[in-house]
Amino acid sequence: MRAAVFYHYGDENCVTVTTLKKPKPSANDVLVKVMATTVTSGDWRMRRADPWAVRLFAGLFKPRQPVLGTEFSGVVEAVGADVTGLHVGDRIFGSKGMKMGAHAQYVSLTADGCLVELPDNLTYEQGAGVIFGGATALTFLRPYLESRPAQRLLVIGGSGAVGTYAVQLGRMWGAHVTAVCSARNHDLVRSLGAEQVVDYEKQPLPDPGNPFDIVIDTVGKSSFSKCRELLADSGVYLSVSGGLREWGQMLLSHCPLSSGPRVVCRIVDENANDAKWLADYLERGDLTPVVGQTLALEEIQKAHVIAESGHKVGNLVVNLWET
Ligand SMILES: NC(=O)c1ccc[n+]([C@@H]2O[C@H](COP(=O)([O-])OP(=O)(O)OC[C@H]3O[C@@H](n4cnc5c(N)ncnc54)[C@H](OP(=O)(O)O)[C@@H]3O)[C@@H](O)[C@H]2O)c1
């Protein structure tokens, strides 16, 4: 099978396309013919080992897993002897999570992993761009939005993989959504449900005024100290790409003696329950995956450059079979 591989950390040139052995599913596994995958911010960070701590689990001197890629969509090619509920020919989408390996024409994963049926109304390209952005936005926003209508939500990075889902979830749950991105993407985020937009090239954040209940920074372009004045006292600052500083701020802001807005960081656990939840809303048309661009596997280096630019729109999809 064809796959994109990297054997050392570095720039996009360390990723090349080669031929690898097709995986063999064991008794509990499902072999998937991958039709489409994505290149995410997680992929380029892993390829660069950025931050350096990535090496602690991905391989100290060189990557242990040479094939990047988390999320995918495709067709069940074979199932192990003990697998029930999935059949050859099923259209599915899912994620290999931190195990990675989805930038390949076939993946094998356990049947009880993050793997669900692809709704009929979605193409494979759309289905590839669900888990990374959708499960992340869902994990961060659900506790603060789902059962609390009429919240005021600010999405920083509203046009990226996580941001496009954050805007849509906000709209779906009845929030008043303001999105920050460049003017190039204002029509897009408005079409997804943003009622107000801010062009960060003119001003990084909206003017303080009517306070927000929730600020979600999907791209790490703000800070808690700058967003504090935008937030209600009971508000939360959701830091999707938070580093040590934000994790420390989370601890401090949750101390019994502290008052005012709180910081929340999380490590997202991509799982089948969330994938199924997303599939249901995608099937009803309440959510739509945004595919900014589709490239061929042979264009994988170009895909990495675009993802690393920090300006990709929605999901950057890679088609595994078309040239
Ligand atoms: N906590 C977790 O477990 C977890 C899970 C998944 C992802 N993440 C993290 O989430 C982050 C988001 O990833 P992503 O894939 O959504 O990013 P992305 O798709 O690369 O986001 C790019 C978007 O950010 C916008 N942008 C760039 N500069 C901006 C600025 N100064 N202000 C506002 N918007 C700006 C761009 O808009 P323009 O093109 O208009 O400039 C572009 O549409 C990554 O850092 C990733 O590591 C964390």
Side-chain angles (χ1 to χ4, degrees):
M1 66 170 183
R2 302 292 284 162
V5 294
F6 81 126
Y7 294 108
H8 57 89
Y9 299 114
D11 66 19
E12 72 281 359
N13 293 309
C14 66
V15 185
T16 53
V17 177
T18 190
T19 301
L20 297 178
K21 269 192 184 160
K22 191 170 161 182
K24 277 197 183 135
S26 56
N28 294 311
D29 288 352
V30 176
L31 179 69
V32 180
K33 178 179 180 183
V34 179
M35 302 306 291
T37 182
T38 59
V39 176
T40 67
S41 45
D43 291 315
W44 75 257
R45 283 188 184 282
M46 193 69 88
R47 189 242 303 146
R48 283 237 180 239
D50 174 9
W52 195 91
V54 161
R55 291 171 186 254
L56 297 178
F57 59 89
L60 211 48
F61 302 108
K62 60 179 186 151
R64 275 192 286 270
Q65 162 61 287
V67 183
L68 291 166
T70 55
E71 55 186 352
F72 60 85
S73 64
V75 187
V76 174
E77 173 96 355
V79 293
D82 296 344
V83 174
T84 52
L86 283 167
H87 307 96
V88 172
D90 285 352
R91 279 163 38 96
I92 47 91
F93 73 101
S95 174
K96 296 256 303 174
M98 294 308 287
K99 289 187 179 153
M100 307 202 109
H103 291 173
Q105 288 179 322
Y106 292 91
V107 293
S108 180
L109 70 166
T110 55
D112 59 358
C114 185
L115 188 66
V116 298
E117 198 181 321
L118 181 67
D120 286 344
N121 59 330
L122 292 198
T123 63
Y124 288 118
E125 277 79 11
Q126 291 174 312
V130 174
I131 306 281
F132 183 85
T136 303
L138 181 63
T139 301
F140 275 87
L141 288 174
R142 182 159 48 186
Y144 305 99
L145 271 183
E146 191 175 28
S147 53
R148 298 185 213 175
Q151 302 271 296
R152 283 179 51 77
L153 168 69
L154 175 65
V155 182
I156 300 170
S159 49
V162 180
T164 48
Y165 281 101
V167 171
Q168 293 184 77
L169 288 172
R171 182 212 61 216
M172 216 178 84
W173 282 324
H176 177 284
V177 183
T178 301
V180 184
C181 57
S182 74
R184 292 180 293 280
N185 291 315
H186 281 184
D187 286 348
L188 168 71
V189 293
R190 277 202 187 93
S191 74
L192 299 174
E195 285 167 62
Q196 284 182 308
V197 288
V198 175
D199 176 4
Y200 67 79
E201 285 168 340
K202 294 200 173 121
Q203 60 175 121
L205 292 168
D207 294 324
N210 206 351
F212 290 98
D213 302 292
I214 304 158
V215 173
I216 179 168
D217 184 349
T218 69
V219 283
K221 297 290 182 186
S222 71
S223 64
F224 178 48
S225 52
K226 286 188 184 138
C227 290
R228 212 185 166 111
E229 61 174 353
L230 303 177
L231 277 160
D233 268 358
S234 57
V236 281
Y237 176 75
L238 307 178
S239 177
V240 176
S241 54
L244 273 181
R245 181 184 62 177
E246 286 75 20
W247 282 85
Q249 288 169 333
M250 176 164 75
L251 285 178
L252 286 176
S253 67
H254 282 79
C255 280
L257 290 179
S258 79
S259 59
R262 293 178 170 188
V263 178
V264 172
C265 305
R266 281 167 187 268
I267 292 171
V268 175
D269 163 41
E270 295 173 347
N271 60 72
N273 285 341
D274 285 349
K276 179 79 184 76
W277 189 98
L278 290 163
D280 288 346
Y281 285 89
L282 290 160
E283 188 161 29
R284 288 184 223 165
D286 289 333
L287 295 173
T288 306
V290 174
V291 176
Q293 199 170 353
T294 302
L295 297 173
L297 181 62
E298 305 298 327
E299 298 175 288
I300 192 79
Q301 290 183 355
K302 183 177 170 190
H304 272 264
V305 171
I306 296 167
E308 193 171 350
S309 74
H311 297 287
K312 76 177 163 60
V313 178
N315 300 285
L316 175 50
V317 171
V318 173
N319 186 311
L320 272 303
W321 295 89
E322 280 175 20
T323 50

